Amino acid sequence: MTSRFADGLAVGADLEEIAERAVGQALSRLGEQADLVCFFICGDDPDDVARAGQRAMALAPDAHVIGCSATGVIGGGQGVELTPSVSAWAATLGEARLTTFALETLNAEDRFVVVGLPDRNPDDHVAILLADPYSFPTDAFVERSADVLGDLPLIGGLANGVGGRGSVRLFADGEVYTEGAIGVVLSGPVRIRTVVSQGCRPIGPSMVVTRAEDNLLLELAGQPALARLEDIVSELDEDDRELVAAGLQIGIAIDEYAERHERGDFLIRGVIGIDPEHEAVAIGDIVEVGRTVRFQVRDAATADEDLYDLLDAHKAEFGQADGALLFSCNGRGSAMFGSADHDPVALRETLGPIGMAGFFAAGEVGPVGGHNHVHGFTASVLVFSSGAAGGA
């Protein structure tokens, strides 16, 4: 059976061999020649990963091809973690236009400049971004992307390697990169949507930030931030207190004018510490006075429910999906759900047996509330559908 979207997965000690198998599986299941191929490689030796990537790119000489190294891959309806493996995804996109790019950072006095961005076009729909977190300022680039990319959504993930710093490899149209970021812009007649599941549940009330300094919340709703947090935790049951101890989060309201702020209405950031002397709470972002925040917890049940709900809502609004790319946090999978298969299974159960692949990322990129962000413990999904072209 052929399709416009197909995936492949292979596991084994010889990375070049399994790269050929995985890409071959994806290409053979397409109804026509591939326009875009994405592949993801988990391997112990960066040089072996590079050779496998070169082999993968050579198998689709007439397609645009991007890929990266990872500590785990997703394909064939399953996830594989910390095991030599390759997943691949191939798509026939008709008259859609594809523009691959490679980004590097240059120092200019007291700031950095990212070069390599393609020119914007009115019919650009989305850019897939794969970045080396050790050499590329992904957080700053993504958070400020509107300055140069306008409202173009970014989706993707931070690559990694089993050896950490220095082991990342990125691939784009025949070239191997050891730093920076690569990706592809999709334009023209293609129907795509993004789904970003942050998987958190609010605790306590929504509160306005009444005093803050840098990333320190000093006052919430006119009271010391730490006192407000202690009051909230004191009213929780034992299970939720354990979740707070395991990793408290905070949500920054996306729409300040909403009457209520519930699950899914926030950009999630981590609580990284407390300052008892100043009764302050330190978080992983800078929040201006006047913004609304709400503390959050995350567990497997909440993350499961959130992903299924968002995918069901997507299907109800946009209809049948044909293919998808999945960028899932490496803190999800077996660490959160007890199985590496959770997120790909969720996509298959909600969207059907579509061509779907991806990898376990060291940080996920995706739009929330109309703005691009880098996330943690998130599943970022790019869904391709039949019908009129468009993106979000």
Side-chain angles (χ1 to χ4, degrees):
M1 181 177 179
T2 59
S3 172
R4 293 176 55 236
F5 302 88
D7 61 82
L9 174 70
V11 180
D14 188 328
L15 287 184
E16 288 188 70
E17 178 186 344
I18 61 175
E20 184 167 346
R21 283 166 46 199
V23 175
Q25 289 169 15
L27 293 175
S28 67
R29 293 166 181 164
L30 283 184
E32 302 177 42
Q33 178 176 297
D35 297 309
L36 177 62
V37 174
C38 303
F39 65 87
F40 312 100
I41 303 174
C42 178
D44 296 330
D45 188 321
D47 292 335
D48 289 344
V49 170
R51 284 189 288 268
Q54 289 172 320
R55 181 59 183 149
M57 290 186 287
L59 292 171
D62 297 321
H64 290 280
V65 186
I66 63 170
C68 68
S69 58
T71 57
V73 305
I74 295 168
Q78 66 184 96
V80 181
E81 300 171 319
L82 297 173
T83 300
S85 51
V86 178
S87 66
W89 181 86
T92 299
L93 298 173
E95 297 182 4
R97 296 194 324 278
L98 306 173
T99 307
T100 53
F101 58 85
L103 307 180
E104 62 176 320
T105 306
L106 302 179
N107 291 323
E109 298 178 353
D110 60 343
R111 61 192 180 94
F112 67 86
V113 176
V114 172
V115 297
L117 280 171
D119 294 333
R120 278 298 314 271
N121 293 290
D123 61 349
D124 292 344
H125 295 306
V126 72
I128 301 169
L129 180 72
L130 309 176
D132 172 14
Y134 304 102
S135 66
F136 188 75
T138 314
D139 286 78
F141 172 76
V142 170
E143 294 296 335
R144 300 174 188 171
S145 60
D147 295 343
V148 289
L149 298 175
D151 59 356
L152 181 69
L154 298 177
I155 195 155
L158 277 61
N160 210 339
V162 175
R165 182 183 295 273
S167 68
V168 174
R169 297 294 181 268
L170 305 170
F171 307 93
D173 283 357
E175 298 294 328
V176 180
Y177 300 88
T178 59
E179 59 184 17
I182 58 94
V184 60
V185 178
L186 282 69
S187 313
V190 58
R191 190 175 188 228
I192 44 185
R193 290 291 186 275
T194 57
V195 176
V196 178
S197 174
Q198 300 180 92
C200 276
R201 169 167 54 86
I203 57 172
S206 295
M207 297 168 289
V208 174
V209 177
T210 49
R211 194 158 67 95
E213 182 179 330
D214 295 329
N215 70 324
L216 285 179
L217 301 180
L218 299 170
E219 284 186 1
L220 297 173
Q223 297 182 21
L226 183 55
R228 293 290 292 177
L229 174 58
E230 290 171 343
D231 288 344
I232 292 169
V233 173
S234 69
E235 296 178 0
L236 299 177
D237 61 28
E238 185 176 346
D239 289 342
D240 278 352
R241 288 186 189 182
E242 290 181 0
L243 294 178
V244 168
L248 181 64
Q249 313 291 316
I250 194 165
I252 305 166
I254 297 167
D255 181 3
E256 285 292 332
Y257 301 102
E259 292 185 7
R260 301 182 64 183
H261 296 101
E262 303 297 340
R263 193 186 74 185
D265 295 333
F266 299 91
L267 172 65
I268 303 300
R269 291 293 184 251
V271 173
I272 59 178
I274 60 173
D275 183 347
E277 181 180 351
H278 297 95
E279 296 188 271
V281 177
I283 68 172
D285 207 337
I286 296 175
V287 182
E288 297 176 352
V289 169
R291 295 296 301 272
T292 300
V293 298
R294 192 173 181 186
F295 288 108
Q296 313 266 331
V297 293
R298 179 188 280 121
D299 61 359
T302 300
D304 173 86
E305 182 180 357
D306 188 64
L307 180 57
Y308 274 90
D309 285 352
L310 287 172
L311 292 172
D312 284 337
H314 175 276
K315 186 174 182 180
E317 183 173 359
F318 299 108
Q320 179 60 45
D322 296 327
L325 286 167
L326 168 60
F327 308 98
S328 183
C329 181
N330 55 20
R332 292 171 68 98
S334 58
M336 177 176 284
F337 300 107
S339 168
D341 301 338
H342 176 274
D343 288 353
V345 167
L347 264 68
R348 285 286 173 93
E349 289 183 347
T350 53
L351 303 181
I354 60 175
M356 179 266 298
F359 72 100
F360 290 100
E364 306 73 58
V365 176
V368 171
H371 299 281
N372 295 315
H373 300 283
V374 178
H375 309 275
F377 293 93
T378 292
S380 290
V381 191
L382 182 61
V383 184
F384 294 74
S385 304
S386 300

